[in-house]
Amino acid sequence: LDRTGLPTWPDQPSDATQIRMQLDDSTADNPVILDIAMAYAGSDILQITVDVTDPNSDLSRMILAHDTATGGGYALNPPAPPVNGNYPNGTYSLSVFLDERHQPGVTDWYFVVSDNLCNNSPIERRTMPAL
């Protein structure tokens, strides 16, 4: 019997250092990917821009891209420094050196955005443009 007045959940892990957050079933405050653009700068550099917004302006550093050719993951560069730990809405960018594993018109990239409350955008997939 818990007499602390704090809520308890029967499915909490036995390790006290782990906690489970309650489900946020509202998607109204989730960050959104508005647009993804990919362009080549020469034959060996791919420039990626991702336009993101978060309705309650609490974006985290987690504007992420996953390269299926290499298995690598990248955090995109913000358009401005964060304020009080919240990253700005806007266009995030990334430049990636390409190698022989990348196939223009074939290689897929995946993108997701998260905010400071662990709300995520839907995962977006884009294929590298043909040369």
Side-chain angles (χ1 to χ4, degrees), residues 14 20 25-26 29 34-35 48 65-66 72 82 84-85 87 89 91 97-98 112-113:
S14 59
R20 293 195 181 151
D25 57 359
S26 170
D29 61 349
L34 301 173
D35 189 35
I48 300 171
H66 172 70
N84 296 325
Y87 282 77
N89 293 329
T91 302
F97 286 101
L98 303 174
V112 68
V113 178

Side-chain angles (χ1 to χ4, degrees), residues 35-58:
D35 189 35
I36 300 170
M38 303 171 106
Y40 296 104
S43 61
D44 61 349
I45 297 177
L46 180 64
Q47 293 180 329
I48 300 171
T49 57
V50 179
D51 293 332
V52 301
T53 189
D54 186 26
N56 58 352
S57 298
D58 68 343

Side-chain angles (χ1 to χ4, degrees), residues 48-119:
I48 300 171
T49 57
V50 179
D51 293 332
V52 301
T53 189
D54 186 26
N56 58 352
S57 298
D58 68 343
L59 281 173
S60 73
R61 181 67 176 110
M62 300 299 154
I63 292 84
L64 303 175
H66 172 70
D67 176 2
T68 61
T70 65
Y74 302 91
L76 279 76
N77 298 309
V83 176
N84 296 325
N86 296 319
Y87 282 77
N89 293 329
T91 302
Y92 286 70
S93 62
L94 175 67
S95 294
V96 179
F97 286 101
L98 303 174
D99 61 26
E100 66 281 350
R101 296 173 287 184
H102 294 96
Q103 298 177 22
V106 176
T107 300
D108 287 332
W109 285 73
Y110 290 89
F111 301 89
V112 68
V113 178
S114 180
D115 68 16
N116 285 320
L117 296 175
C118 300
N119 295 314

